[in-house]
Amino acid sequence: MLVTVSALSPAPDACTAAVRNSINWGTATSAYQVEGGWDADGKSPSIWDTLAQSPGKIADNTTGDVACDMYNRWAEDIALMKQLGVKNYRLSVAWTRIIPAGVAGSAVNMAGVNWYRNLIKALLAAGIRPAVTMYHWDLPQVLQDEYGGFLSPKIQEDFLYYADTLFKHLGDIVDQWMTFNEVISICELGYQVDVFAPQANKGLGAKYTCGHNVLLAHAKTMQLYRTKYAAQKGRVSIALDGKWGYPKDPNNPADVAAAENFMVFQYAWMADPLYFGDYPAVMKETQGALLPKFTAEESKLLRATTIDFFSVNFYCGYYVWAPAPGSPKELTYDVGANTGGQFISPGIPSNAPWLFKTPDGLRLTLQWLAKRYNGPEFWITENGVSGPDEDWKPLPAVLDDVYRQDYYKTYLDNLCLAKSVDGVNVGNYYAWSWMDNFEWRDGFKKRFGIIYIDLKNNLARHPKGTAKWLSQHFFNINPVAPATLRAASVARQTPAAAAAVPKPAAAPSTVAVSSKGKGFSLPFSFALNKGSGFGLSVKFGPQGK
Ligand code: NOJ
């Protein structure tokens, strides 16, 4: 049964047509979470292949070996995006498809390059403008084995070679780049603790060393693009993650100061070096020798290569309070999970223990960042929620995702208020995620998609109500996407790398969306264990997921 337009709630009040028209709306995925084809056409294993293929590591024993099989079904996915009016799509490239041996100077795998060229050209032809993340957590396993991945400065040179390869082979059809996705997730969950691959579990210093190498690899990439690839005239950023900090007691100055520190230790850890060339003062004062130092040269490079737009992945906020008396000086704030507890939040819980519905946190975060960094252009490169029971509910019911629609409605209301009332310069917005996908340690148990993926029926794609709602009020609102212009320029190019690429398979022509089965229960699962991928072992770190 088709969902009728009347079944959908109206656009948020603050999102007037004028405000909606001023933002480029889109949706996002990442390579490992959707592609599958884990060893196809010369691809080497990544640290996530290794982790997911190890028995007992993933909540539902799935892997990313096939995931949503986008590796084979991308034409179908692009056709569905087009049908829903999507005009902006954020994706990531798998390093292991492009440079299987990982290291600088090693062979470029043209089969991998051409797979992405094919995909991106088809997106452009469908009027969809890509924004490409270079690194969304799938490090070549070989680099982890050889020198410990992001804990070694060697990663900087290898990443730069990879970035250079991407600019060289995709830069004529991609003009929006993000170097890294979510440095806190990479460095805290992957290196400080053992939640994400490579499960290094090497403590707080490892998080900072990892972040330092990420920043320098990023800055060198920016420099490369602005010199060697200046003629491509694209824009480059880095996707940063963080939660909003609500002071537990807003009348207690110690809690207010702790909430401020919470923000500084997340966003400013990365963004202060990017804008000002150094780590925040409070981090240098309290983290001691754990926090690496920039040389004068590095600091200069960072200041000279400021990002072209500020990319924020935003999901929710937590209560933050002052650390208990006698806590080590490294602990400048507490969010529960820091000290062996659990995140608490003023928001409504979701089915993920780290995710709450706190819509004003998005507006507050943007206000905080706009003030600290003097009003740059912001892109919300991820925002979304996993729906309750979507891993088991029958098809018609699972598609009627009123919970998710309400999440988007309230968050987008706040986004539009940030733009229209606070004057925050919001450029782009990407809903996470285009489709249900491999949600890391949670496998397919936690589903963030606006498109449902039916694991039991050949990975069939079914738009949820949210996809219809976003389509009606947001995706379809931008009259002419810039992608149309890019598509025209792509048609004029005949790059050698694009030669001999097979034609995409035919796309489906109809989309059925169910409107049945309202009213599901919310059995919030707060079972926190390693299998569900939550970092309660985090010490002094800002977030776990
Ligand atoms: C952030 C990550 O970038 C993405 O990969 C993940 O699926 C979402 N958060 C939801 O947890």
Side-chain angles (χ1 to χ4, degrees), residues 416-447:
C416 293
L417 286 170
K419 181 143 202 185
S420 58
V421 177
D422 309 334
V424 175
N425 180 4
V426 179
N428 290 22
Y429 173 93
Y430 298 84
W432 185 271
S433 175
W434 164 244
M435 53 188 161
D436 293 339
N437 57 48
F438 182 81
E439 178 55 23
W440 309 112
R441 296 290 296 277
D442 288 322
F444 275 80
K445 260 180 150 1
K446 301 277 189 289
R447 288 163 170 265

Side-chain angles (χ1 to χ4, degrees), residues 86-142:
V86 173
K87 297 184 190 68
N88 294 280
Y89 174 52
R90 175 178 178 236
L91 65 142
S92 80
V93 172
W95 187 341
T96 48
R97 289 197 199 287
I98 307 294
I99 305 169
V103 288
S106 60
V108 175
N109 176 28
M110 288 312 291
V113 168
N114 284 334
W115 187 81
Y116 287 105
R117 281 198 73 82
N118 234 359
L119 174 81
I120 290 162
K121 288 174 83 177
L123 284 166
L124 292 169
I128 301 165
R129 188 177 190 176
V132 175
T133 311
M134 298 175 175
Y135 183 78
H136 201 122
W137 309 355
D138 41 2
L139 182 74
Q141 179 66 49
V142 67

Side-chain angles (χ1 to χ4, degrees), residues 47-384:
I47 54 175
W48 268 99
D49 288 313
T50 306
L51 189 148
Q53 289 171 3
S54 312
K57 295 284 188 179
I58 307 301
D60 59 358
N61 296 315
T62 55
T63 67
D65 290 6
V66 176
C68 306
D69 197 25
M70 195 178 186
Y71 194 72
N72 296 304
R73 297 174 69 156
W74 53 271
E76 178 186 344
D77 291 320
I78 292 173
L80 188 51
M81 284 180 205
K82 187 174 178 184
Q83 198 170 340
L84 290 168
V86 173
K87 297 184 190 68
N88 294 280
Y89 174 52
R90 175 178 178 236
L91 65 142
S92 80
V93 172
W95 187 341
T96 48
R97 289 197 199 287
I98 307 294
I99 305 169
V103 288
S106 60
V108 175
N109 176 28
M110 288 312 291
V113 168
N114 284 334
W115 187 81
Y116 287 105
R117 281 198 73 82
N118 234 359
L119 174 81
I120 290 162
K121 288 174 83 177
L123 284 166
L124 292 169
I128 301 165
R129 188 177 190 176
V132 175
T133 311
M134 298 175 175
Y135 183 78
H136 201 122
W137 309 355
D138 41 2
L139 182 74
Q141 179 66 49
V142 67
L143 300 186
Q144 183 59 35
D145 295 343
E146 203 169 303
Y147 53 69
F150 284 94
L151 298 185
S152 165
K154 287 184 184 159
I155 194 77
Q156 296 172 32
E157 193 198 340
D158 291 342
F159 182 82
L160 191 64
Y161 175 70
Y162 167 54
D164 193 354
T165 307
L166 293 183
F167 293 145
K168 180 172 169 195
H169 291 288
L170 300 178
D172 60 324
I173 49 174
V174 175
D175 63 354
Q176 308 181 124
W177 298 95
M178 275 142 284
T179 52
F180 293 92
N181 178 68
E182 297 204 347
V183 188
I184 296 171
S185 296
I186 297 169
C187 296
E188 180 177 312
L189 300 186
Y191 287 90
Q192 179 182 349
V193 295
D194 63 354
V195 176
F196 282 174
Q199 298 195 292
N201 207 12
K202 287 191 184 306
L204 185 56
K207 167 178 160 173
Y208 293 142
T209 301
C210 166
H212 202 72
N213 285 321
V214 166
L215 279 168
L216 292 172
H218 163 85
K220 288 174 184 174
T221 303
M222 297 287 305
Q223 186 188 41
L224 178 78
Y225 195 66
R226 291 194 179 153
T227 51
K228 190 172 171 186
Y229 295 100
Q232 291 183 357
K233 294 191 167 49
R235 301 209 290 161
V236 185
S237 187
I238 176 171
L240 301 182
D241 52 325
K243 310 293 191 294
W244 174 250
Y246 298 90
K248 184 82 175 32
D249 175 0
N251 297 316
N252 177 355
D255 285 1
V256 173
E260 175 71 11
N261 281 342
F262 179 57
M263 296 304 287
V264 170
F265 274 71
Q266 296 173 100
Y267 283 109
W269 170 43
M270 287 290 119
D272 272 21
L274 296 172
Y275 281 91
F276 314 133
D278 202 1
Y279 291 117
V282 64
M283 292 191 73
K284 293 200 290 186
E285 282 155 17
T286 57
Q287 306 305 294
L290 292 175
L291 193 67
K293 291 183 174 46
F294 295 111
T295 64
E297 274 293 282
E298 290 166 345
S299 177
K300 201 170 140 204
L301 175 69
L302 283 159
R303 282 197 312 273
T305 55
T306 307
I307 44 183
D308 292 318
F309 54 92
F310 199 121
S311 163
V312 178
N313 291 357
F314 186 81
Y315 287 88
C316 67
Y318 303 138
Y319 277 130
V320 187
W321 56 95
S327 299
K329 82 167 179 349
E330 287 86 358
L331 186 63
T332 61
Y333 60 86
D334 201 349
V335 286
N338 284 9
T339 44
Q342 177 180 299
F343 296 112
I344 59 165
S345 167
I348 302 167
S350 75
N351 74 340
W354 60 270
L355 212 174
F356 301 80
K357 202 183 274 183
T358 55
D360 67 340
L362 175 56
R363 183 177 177 188
L364 293 165
T365 296
L366 290 173
Q367 287 174 353
W368 191 90
L369 292 171
K371 189 168 166 213
R372 190 172 182 105
Y373 302 109
N374 199 19
E377 178 182 331
F378 288 96
W379 288 22
I380 311 306
T381 37
E382 281 185 32
N383 176 228

Side-chain angles (χ1 to χ4, degrees), residues 459-526:
L459 303 171
R461 278 78 164 137
H462 299 274
K464 300 176 189 175
T466 300
K468 277 279 180 187
W469 185 83
L470 286 170
S471 169
Q472 185 189 10
H473 298 306
F474 295 91
F475 297 154
N476 270 312
I477 197 102
N478 299 124
V480 182
T484 318
L485 303 174
R486 291 291 294 179
S489 82
V490 168
R492 285 196 299 275
Q493 291 161 357
T494 51
V501 174
K503 281 223 167 79
S509 54
T510 53
V511 182
V513 183
S514 167
S515 65
K516 278 187 172 171
K518 278 206 159 70
F520 41 78
S521 59
L522 301 173
F524 299 119
S525 157
F526 286 108

